[in-house]
């Protein structure tokens, strides 16, 4: 049975692009959005959990997020996770509720958000390169098993590389569009 599966490689690379687009949607340019906290994970109960599994997130006002933590022992870890997420948000703790005022978009804040978008893009590029590596490893394994020869392996590696280049171009385009939106250019 062949280990190389082009459809699986395409699916995994497309998944990396979709994950990036989802993360980029969370970067808002001045308006409160519940998706802003989607990339935040909180370390509780010995595991890293998304914030939406520990609390209700809402946007009661255009420039305010409200996080209602269900278990009061998790208020501190949620507060710490939001502060350390690099989103530039400083929660105000009020019992089991955290209020997150969305700061005005100064030039400095815009640059921070653009930098965060670049970090998300780099994570997506790394994921795509890992998929490429896995595909090439499975090609070499199939060649050693005698499923096909060196020429066919090299042809498949070229296909995988073209797919990688195309996917990274998609990542770069999505990131450039978001940075343009953030920086207001």
């Amino acid at each position: 049975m062949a280990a190389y599966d082009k459809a699986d490689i395409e699916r995994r690379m497309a998944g990396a692009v979709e994950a990036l687009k989802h993360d980029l949607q969370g970067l808002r340019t001045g308006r409160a959005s519940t998706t802003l906290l989607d990339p935040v994970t909180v370390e509780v109960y010995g595991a890293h959990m998304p914030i939406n599994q520990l609390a209700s997130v809402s946007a009661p006002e255009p420039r305010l997020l409200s996080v209602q933590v269900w278990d009061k022992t998790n208020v501190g870890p949620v507060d710490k996770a939001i502060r350390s997420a690099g989103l530039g948000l400083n929660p105000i703790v009020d019992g089991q509720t955290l209020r997150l005022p969305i700061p005005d978009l100064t030039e400095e804040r815009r640059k921070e958000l653009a930098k965060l978008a670049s970090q998300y893009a780099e994570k997506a590029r790394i994921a795509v390169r890992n998929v490429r590596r896995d595909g090439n490893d499975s090609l070499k394994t199939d060649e050693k098993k005698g499923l096909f020869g060196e020429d066919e392996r090299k042809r498949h590696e070229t296909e995988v590389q073209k797919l990688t280049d195309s996917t990274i171009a998609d990542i770069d385009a999505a990131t450039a569009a978001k940075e343009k939106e953030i920086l207001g250019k």
Side-chain angles (χ1 to χ4, degrees):
M1 176 96 187
Y4 172 70
D5 183 2
K6 184 178 177 185
D8 182 55
I9 291 171
E10 290 173 347
R11 180 189 56 77
R12 289 172 58 196
M13 286 187 181
V17 174
E18 288 306 311
L20 170 69
K21 287 179 179 178
H22 183 265
D23 287 346
L24 290 178
Q25 284 177 347
L27 295 179
R28 288 289 172 219
T29 54
R31 280 185 39 104
S33 169
T34 58
T35 59
L36 185 64
L37 297 177
D38 282 353
V40 178
T41 58
V42 184
E43 188 175 347
V44 290
Y45 309 123
H48 290 277
M49 300 175 75
I51 204 163
N52 62 6
Q53 291 183 6
L54 301 167
S56 300
V57 180
S58 63
E61 297 176 22
R63 302 191 50 78
L64 179 74
L65 282 175
S66 177
V67 179
Q68 180 69 40
V69 182
W70 300 321
D71 182 357
K72 77 172 137 181
T73 61
N74 292 335
V75 172
V78 169
D79 178 41
K80 182 180 174 187
I82 292 170
R83 289 180 192 276
S84 63
L87 297 173
L89 300 174
N90 293 313
I92 301 166
V93 180
D94 181 19
Q96 285 182 241
T97 304
L98 286 90
R99 290 182 189 31
L100 301 153
I102 306 299
D104 289 332
L105 278 180
T106 62
E107 188 64 27
E108 181 181 322
R109 174 87 175 123
R110 289 177 189 271
K111 287 179 182 176
E112 285 176 19
L113 288 173
K115 188 176 178 182
L116 193 57
S118 296
Q119 291 172 356
Y120 289 163
E122 187 55 31
K123 287 180 185 176
R125 285 187 208 100
I126 290 169
V128 168
R129 289 192 292 262
N130 287 339
V131 172
R132 176 187 62 192
R133 184 197 63 224
D134 292 346
N136 288 339
D137 288 349
S138 65
L139 284 170
K140 289 173 185 170
T141 301
D142 286 352
E143 181 188 11
K144 287 179 184 174
K145 289 180 182 176
L147 297 175
F148 46 75
E150 182 179 356
D151 291 343
E152 192 170 349
R153 175 186 54 85
K154 287 185 179 183
R155 185 175 54 80
H156 286 305
E157 283 179 349
T158 302
E159 288 175 1
V160 171
Q161 185 59 47
K162 284 180 184 176
L163 186 59
T164 302
D165 294 342
S166 168
T167 305
I168 288 179
D170 292 346
I171 289 169
D172 292 343
T175 306
K178 189 63 177 185
E179 286 177 347
K180 183 178 179 184
E181 176 189 332
I182 290 170
L183 296 173
K185 294 182 180 177

